[in-house]
Amino acid sequence: MKQQLTELQAYQPGLSPRQLKEKYGIDGEMVKLASNENLYGPSPKVKEAIKNNLDELFYYPEVKQFEVKQTLSELLNVDKDQILFGSGLDEVIMLISRTVLEAGDEIITSDMTFGQYKHHAIIESAVVKTTPLKDGYFDLDAMYDQITDKTKLIWICNPNNPTGTYLAQDVIEDFIKKVPDDVIILIDEAYIEFADAEDMPNSLELLSKYEQVVVLRTLSKAYGLASQRIGYAVAQASLLDQLDIVRLPFNVTSLSAVAADAAIKDQDYLNDMTQKNRVEIEKFLNASFKEHLYDSQTNFVFVNTDEPQVLYDYLIKEGFITRPFPNGVRITMGFSEHNDQMIKVLEAFFESYGS
């Protein structure tokens, strides 16, 4: 056994609605708003595409996912050789860590961001350096100060999970210009389709200017394909060739590739859904407790509180499953009626507890 595994534990998903009902003695409906899933679901064209491809389940998947890769390359205006698919973005993160990191290498990220960056670095016996968020945002100056000749990977989640905050184009590019060329900068944009800020970075433009930049995206969030497990990296072809050596031979299923292709082609559906999401986000950002929220560019809000477990339990008893953190609670957007009720519950909480 690797000794460093003693520092880690397997991913622990939250309790299901059934389990939570039993734990808290709740009889009514429970709404799961804990995992940043898109409750609107995927385009109807996705279901049709899956139905049309059920007769070839005995074949192994296409290793290179030719059709969806062509569709995505046209949408993003990048070469097909610059795209690598994984079984969810989690696998892509694992592939990068396994390919690049050796014992004693260093990664740099925030202490409050997606945990898989740290998880896979530790598995590879790398050193993890983290810096605190600054008012909810990645502190790139502090991260730059952590760089040494052992630094191999810098992870930036933009917009960030769990805070929903983002760094603007000029801020990220100024940072990239300072970082040594041999350090890979990974920009995780799992929630980018939800973002509508005018100064949201054009990461693909950065990719074309700086060879060390890697952009990561997923079909799990805005495209509504969490169960199909498909994410991707966009990078220089030479780097992806190395990741391809590490990648499992048939890591993306045929139905996942078919579903992704149909979802990507239906941009009208995506745009309609993300606009609906923005309307719901704005309800929270204009609520009476808005000073407890970060300005989110995702499909969730982060509620800052000194009593995160108290708030989490309070919401459970009101029928809402959310995700607690040491300094707050993350709440995924539900349907409009869910969000309206959630806002009323949060107003009552802050009137009672005040923090």
Side-chain angles (χ1 to χ4, degrees), residues 85-199:
F85 287 104
S87 179
L89 203 49
D90 301 271
E91 189 196 25
V92 178
I93 293 167
M94 181 188 71
L95 290 175
I96 293 168
S97 301
R98 188 175 183 188
T99 301
V100 175
L101 296 175
E102 297 181 293
D105 288 342
E106 298 174 351
I107 76 160
I108 301 172
T109 190
S110 169
D111 64 352
M112 190 173 174
T113 190
F114 191 49
Q116 291 299 299
Y117 314 144
K118 175 181 178 179
H119 187 91
H120 288 291
I122 291 174
I123 290 174
E124 302 304 327
S125 299
V127 176
V128 179
K129 291 183 172 182
T130 61
T131 60
L133 296 179
K134 186 175 182 180
D135 300 323
Y137 294 80
F138 268 73
D139 187 346
L140 296 186
D141 290 335
M143 291 173 70
Y144 178 76
D145 290 340
Q146 295 276 1
I147 295 174
T148 71
D149 58 2
K150 294 183 179 180
T151 304
K152 293 295 180 66
L153 302 175
I154 296 177
W155 294 93
I156 301 171
C157 190
N158 200 50
N160 185 40
N161 176 17
T163 57
T165 54
Y166 77 101
L167 298 175
Q169 173 88 12
D170 58 339
V171 174
I172 286 189
E173 186 160 13
D174 287 346
F175 176 73
I176 294 171
K177 289 176 181 177
K178 298 190 299 182
V179 174
D181 293 342
D182 60 345
V183 177
I184 298 174
I185 301 171
L186 302 115
I187 304 175
D188 182 346
E189 296 187 331
Y191 299 91
I192 192 65
E193 290 85 6
F194 293 112
D196 69 348
E198 292 183 0
D199 57 350

Side-chain angles (χ1 to χ4, degrees), residues 200-224:
M200 181 64 62
N202 183 337
S203 57
L204 299 176
E205 179 183 288
L206 296 173
L207 178 72
S208 66
K209 294 169 65 175
Y210 306 98
E211 293 188 359
Q212 70 202 99
V213 171
V214 177
V215 177
L216 294 86
R217 294 183 179 179
T218 183
L219 279 291
S220 293
K221 304 304 181 184
Y223 284 101

Side-chain angles (χ1 to χ4, degrees), residues 52 91 245 274 317:
N52 292 339
E91 189 196 25
I245 296 172
T274 55
K317 292 174 182 177

